[in-house]
Amino acid sequence: MVASQQKLELLKVRKLKNLIDLEIDFTGSPVTAILGPNGNGKSTVLHILASAYKPIDSGENHKFSNFFLPNTDALWDDSYLEIIHSYRDGPTVHNNVKTIYEKTRRWMPVYARRPERDLFYIGIEKCVPMIEMEKKQTKINYATSEVSENVFVTILQKASQILNRRYLKYNVHTASGKDFMGVEVDGLRYSALSMSAGEQKVFHILKTLFNAPKNALILIDELDLLLHDKAMMSLINVIYERATEKSLQVVFTTHRESVIALSDIVNIRHLLSTSNKTLCFNETTPDAINRLTGNQPKPIEVFVEDNLSAAIVTKVASKLGGKRLVSIQRFGAASNSFTAVSGLLFSNQDISSTLFVLDGDVYSTDDEKIQRLNKVITGTDDLAENYKAQAMEVIKQYQLPNNIKPEPYLHNIISNLGFTDNEEHQEIIDAANEIVVADESHKYINDIIDRLGLDRGVGLAKVIDLVATTPEWLEYTADVQAWLSAQIQPLLEPRGAAA
């Protein structure tokens, strides 16, 4: 029976090349973008995945030795990793299957026993223009034939959309026994020998994407290389549409942080290596990554989930007279707070003046926080236990009622305020009362701002200014207030001190 409906769910790497104790999740969208600074293991993840499967039909057959060739400095012994995946074998569905890969004298399992899945790997060599690989110094004569299959009509349409050029024909040229592609644009015919590297790469990706069989895994290294931002974003949208249509999974690496704008259709995974562990941030903004690779910009730093939380911390710090002393970084999904704090600890940085603020709707109990820390700070030795204790000291949260998210809670506070003499505040209250039910929790605040016609940053500040006048404010922000006050007060110059 041939396997089908394959899905890659999780990759765990205990050790391989520069990856240490990495766990990266591929569930959610069928498309995953892996970001991170150079040398942090993005390409290594693709090389692992490319070697993890054996082909069923038309897929490529890569081996670990293709990417991890033993050499004088590295035999890759003691490498160990796992993939968690699912598939259907006839009527039987196999979920959460673990396959272990390791190397002592040779890689195991043997290639014939790898899981089955058609796979295609597109490396950065596909960016090299064909003319740079051509060795002939004389005229190249080739025969041309047009390809008219429906799939190539689609490829031409998608390429036109991505590259903003009107591609009319797709050709195959033959010279000296070799075939290579060519196109026609508004009456101009040219081959891959005359194509730009970015153009050639887009067509190669599209050919792979639209010819891949159902359930295939496609890996693309440095998707953004040689593409301008608009073309890259358009290409990702095409990839997502095709992956959804054909039950494909696509994993690509990129340096372009603008891809975060597509987080509603793409899994965003940031990798960052420390000497002890490779960290993976899910759906994060660049703020946390930049902080972990740079210096603390101000004496007090606070990591928050989103812009709403940033506005709340700004207000608390301002009321304490220490706004100028506090830098605020955004870490995105709540789980990233545990990854970020462990990253600072693994980098031997002092976290005593660093705060991680959770919204309070998840990981709200100490047991839940410890369970999450156990995933990123592994081991039970004294150092690991010390790290976990330090982390618990600097992870705080807002006080929310059970089973409610921050935005509906704040909206409810505002809606119940009634009448006020402050015209600006009254306008916010009136806008809140116009919103009875929102189809998504963030809209309870975003819709207030939209109704007022304000810039988002300005609107958040005004909304929080109003909430800060209510009796609920002090209880809601109590943990954050207490921590910030203890940090700020010693740094404030006593009133009347000499300049």
Side-chain angles (χ1 to χ4, degrees):
M1 208 54 93
V2 177
S4 65
Q5 298 182 15
Q6 299 95 329
K7 285 189 179 179
L8 170 66
E9 293 159 3
L10 196 69
L11 169 66
K12 297 181 179 181
V13 183
R14 182 191 298 169
K15 176 186 176 185
L16 179 55
K17 205 172 180 181
N18 57 337
L19 299 180
I20 304 172
D21 196 21
L22 167 69
E23 184 171 310
I24 180 168
D25 174 21
F26 297 94
T27 60
S29 171
V31 182
T32 298
I34 303 177
L35 294 86
N38 286 331
N40 281 257
K42 300 187 300 298
S43 296
T44 303
V45 169
L46 296 194
H47 297 161
I48 289 170
L49 297 179
S51 309
Y53 294 93
K54 67 176 181 181
I56 297 173
D57 182 19
S58 58
E60 299 166 355
N61 190 10
H62 297 284
K63 300 179 179 181
F64 280 97
S65 56
N66 296 148
F67 300 103
F68 307 103
L69 186 66
N71 58 72
T72 303
D73 297 315
L75 297 176
W76 312 116
D77 288 347
D78 301 322
S79 296
Y80 180 95
L81 58 106
E82 303 169 2
I83 64 167
I84 310 299
H85 55 111
S86 62
Y87 62 93
R88 177 184 286 274
D89 185 2
T92 307
V93 176
H94 301 267
N95 290 316
N96 299 314
V97 178
K98 179 196 294 186
T99 300
I100 296 173
Y101 306 80
E102 56 186 331
K103 183 178 185 292
T104 49
R105 287 181 302 171
R106 60 177 296 180
W107 283 100
M108 299 295 291
V110 296
Y111 292 109
R113 294 180 182 173
R114 289 178 296 174
E116 294 184 341
R117 188 173 193 180
D118 284 320
L119 175 146
F120 303 89
Y121 171 76
I122 301 174
I124 58 175
E125 73 278 0
K126 300 301 180 183
C127 291
V128 178
M130 187 174 176
I131 191 62
E132 293 186 16
M133 296 185 287
E134 181 56 54
K135 304 303 180 185
K136 287 187 177 182
Q137 301 297 312
T138 58
K139 178 183 177 183
I140 301 174
N141 293 304
Y142 49 75
T144 300
S145 58
E146 182 183 348
V147 180
S148 57
E149 289 99 315
N150 288 338
V151 66
F152 284 96
V153 173
T154 301
I155 289 170
L156 289 170
Q157 291 171 347
K158 298 302 182 183
S160 299
Q161 170 188 328
I162 293 163
L163 296 171
N164 196 30
R165 304 190 74 188
R166 190 163 171 261
Y167 293 99
L168 302 175
K169 292 182 181 179
Y170 186 97
N171 300 318
V172 171
H173 305 294
T174 303
S176 304
K178 294 191 298 184
D179 290 339
F180 50 95
M181 66 164 289
V183 293
E184 185 173 316
V185 180
D186 290 331
L188 174 65
R189 192 180 81 182
Y190 56 95
S191 74
L193 292 167
S194 303
M195 279 186 167
S196 71
E199 185 180 27
Q200 181 177 302
K201 182 176 185 179
V202 166
F203 271 98
H204 186 81
I205 291 171
L206 291 177
K207 281 198 301 177
T208 303
L209 188 68
F210 283 91
N211 284 295
K214 192 173 183 179
N215 303 309
L217 174 62
I218 299 174
L219 310 169
I220 308 170
D221 204 4
E222 299 203 22
L223 178 79
D224 58 298
L225 191 61
L226 303 174
L227 294 178
H228 61 76
D229 216 50
K230 186 176 180 182
M232 183 195 73
M233 302 294 260
S234 182
L235 174 59
I236 293 170
N237 275 288
V238 170
I239 289 172
Y240 173 76
E241 291 167 4
R242 181 62 173 176
T244 302
E245 177 188 5
K246 292 289 288 185
S247 300
L248 307 173
Q249 274 185 290
V250 181
V251 182
F252 66 86
T253 66
T254 179
H255 291 94
R256 205 80 61 82
E257 290 174 346
S258 56
V259 72
I260 294 169
L262 297 178
S263 60
D264 56 331
I265 62 170
V266 176
N267 299 325
I268 305 296
R269 305 290 183 257
H270 265 97
L271 298 190
L272 182 68
S273 290
T274 71
S275 58
N276 299 300
K277 182 178 176 63
T278 304
L279 306 170
C280 180
F281 294 82
N282 295 343
E283 317 305 332
T284 190
T285 64
D287 286 2
I289 306 298
N290 293 340
R291 167 60 187 89
L292 289 170
T293 57
N295 297 317
Q296 184 172 332
K298 292 184 180 180
I300 303 167
E301 62 181 347
V302 181
F303 287 81
V304 297
E305 292 190 32
D306 54 24
N307 289 332
L308 174 61
S309 186
I312 294 169
V313 170
T314 298
K315 185 64 178 179
V316 172
S318 182
K319 289 172 76 71
L320 292 169
K323 180 180 175 182
R324 69 188 183 280
L325 303 171
V326 179
S327 70
I328 301 174
Q329 323 287 342
R330 293 155 189 80
F331 57 71
S335 60
N336 288 327
S337 63
F338 305 96
T339 309
V341 71
S342 66
L344 292 172
L345 290 166
F346 287 137
S347 302
N348 298 313
Q349 298 192 48
D350 179 9
I351 65 169
S352 59
S353 60
T354 301
L355 176 67
F356 296 82
V357 181
L358 299 177
D359 282 354
D361 53 337
V362 293
Y363 309 117
S364 57
T365 69
D366 285 351
D367 284 346
E368 289 171 328
K369 293 181 179 72
I370 287 292
Q371 287 177 21
R372 191 66 203 183
L373 283 170
N374 286 338
K375 289 181 176 293
V376 291
I377 304 176
T378 55
T380 57
D381 56 26
D382 289 345
L383 181 60
E385 294 303 318
N386 181 32
Y387 278 171
K388 292 171 193 174
Q390 287 186 61
M392 287 294 289
E393 288 295 319
V394 296
I395 298 175
K396 306 295 182 184
Q397 66 195 51
Y398 302 118
Q399 300 305 310
L400 280 174
N402 290 334
N403 301 316
I404 188 168
K405 292 186 176 295
E407 293 85 357
Y409 175 66
L410 297 177
H411 170 267
N412 186 62
I413 290 174
I414 296 169
S415 301
N416 291 330
L417 284 176
F419 181 77
T420 174
D421 290 333
N422 185 310
E423 292 182 0
E424 189 171 66
H425 287 176
Q426 188 63 52
E427 192 175 16
I428 295 172
I429 296 167
D430 292 342
N433 279 304
E434 291 173 5
I435 304 165
V436 178
V437 177
D439 58 7
E440 200 272 326
S441 63
H442 291 89
K443 290 185 178 180
Y444 280 97
I445 298 300
N446 289 345
D447 281 4
I448 293 175
I449 295 169
D450 290 343
R451 289 168 190 269
L452 297 174
L454 297 173
D455 170 80
R456 178 164 167 73
V458 173
L460 284 173
K462 288 184 180 295
V463 167
I464 296 306
D465 283 346
L466 172 56
V467 176
T469 67
T470 68
E472 292 88 351
W473 172 257
L474 288 179
E475 181 179 356
Y476 175 60
T477 61
D479 287 355
V480 178
Q481 295 252 15
W483 189 92
L484 277 175
S485 179
Q487 294 286 325
I488 289 171
Q489 293 307 316
L491 299 177
L492 293 179
E493 191 174 80
R495 291 178 183 270

